[in-house]
Amino acid sequence: MKDGNLRVALIIGSARKSRFSSTVATWFGDRLAERQDLDVDVLDLAGIELSTGGPSHEPDAADVATLAVTAPRLAAADAFVVVTPEYNHSFPAALKNFVDWHLTEWGAKPVGFVSHGGISGGLRAVEQLRQVFAELHAVTIRETVSFHGGPATFGDDGQPLSPEGCTGAAKLMLDQLQWWALALREAKAVRPYLAG
């Protein structure tokens, strides 16, 4: 990690075995790697197990062990990018469960979205996620990267068939994410954010 670089946690929000999110996340991870001002930490929900009964004031030993790894990584992040599919006009249950298990780590930090799925490109999932993250005192980025049509928009090489639009959208979203992350980091250095 370079001094002064922003730390971005890239969260792959689908835990399904045959998921397209891995392809999308790999492509977006390459966009992140092109930025010399960002350091990336990938959290793949396919490899993170938390009880599906939801957060507990007395988590079992397995959840305590998982949170001991994930919570510090989220807390260390200056910003987040969530890669999400759209399932039944919403986002995956595994993603909601992961978000709910972590509360204070999201506060006063920006969240960007990369979505995919059907005719909407996953944007209905993003709209619902905006409400969830607002409740957690996070700032969601207006611009998104979305893939309408899912796997049909990518070639066998794992690259978008029409890269111009999505590459431009990724740059714009990351520029805004960086602006918010810097602004919020500087503001918190002056005065702590009070979540209430």
Side-chain angles (χ1 to χ4, degrees), residues 74-161:
L74 294 178
D78 296 298
F80 309 99
V81 175
V82 177
V83 177
T84 184
E86 182 179 313
Y87 298 157
N88 301 318
H89 286 220
S90 188
F91 54 93
L95 179 53
K96 181 65 162 72
N97 192 54
F98 180 78
V99 170
D100 286 349
W101 271 104
H102 303 87
L103 297 175
T104 59
E105 293 84 0
W106 314 107
K109 296 177 185 178
V111 183
F113 300 102
V114 180
S115 64
H116 60 90
I119 195 167
S120 78
L123 292 176
R124 292 176 290 208
V126 170
E127 289 308 309
Q128 291 190 21
L129 280 166
R130 290 186 191 284
Q131 296 176 39
V132 172
F133 279 109
E135 182 65 19
L136 296 169
H137 298 265
V139 176
T140 60
I141 302 303
R142 159 89 175 58
E143 303 301 329
T144 62
V145 181
S146 60
F147 293 95
H148 304 260
T153 60
F154 277 67
D156 293 338
D157 61 354
Q159 297 300 309
L161 296 175

Side-chain angles (χ1 to χ4, degrees), residues 23-92:
T23 300
V24 176
T26 298
W27 172 82
F28 190 78
D30 291 343
R31 306 292 73 75
L32 284 166
E34 293 169 356
R35 306 275 301 229
Q36 299 299 309
D37 51 351
L38 304 176
D39 292 315
V40 183
D41 181 16
V42 178
L43 290 97
D44 186 345
L45 298 196
I48 298 173
E49 294 187 21
L50 287 165
S51 297
T52 57
S56 169
H57 292 294
E58 298 177 4
D60 63 27
D63 290 328
V64 169
T66 298
L67 294 169
V69 174
T70 58
R73 290 168 67 183
L74 294 178
D78 296 298
F80 309 99
V81 175
V82 177
V83 177
T84 184
E86 182 179 313
Y87 298 157
N88 301 318
H89 286 220
S90 188
F91 54 93

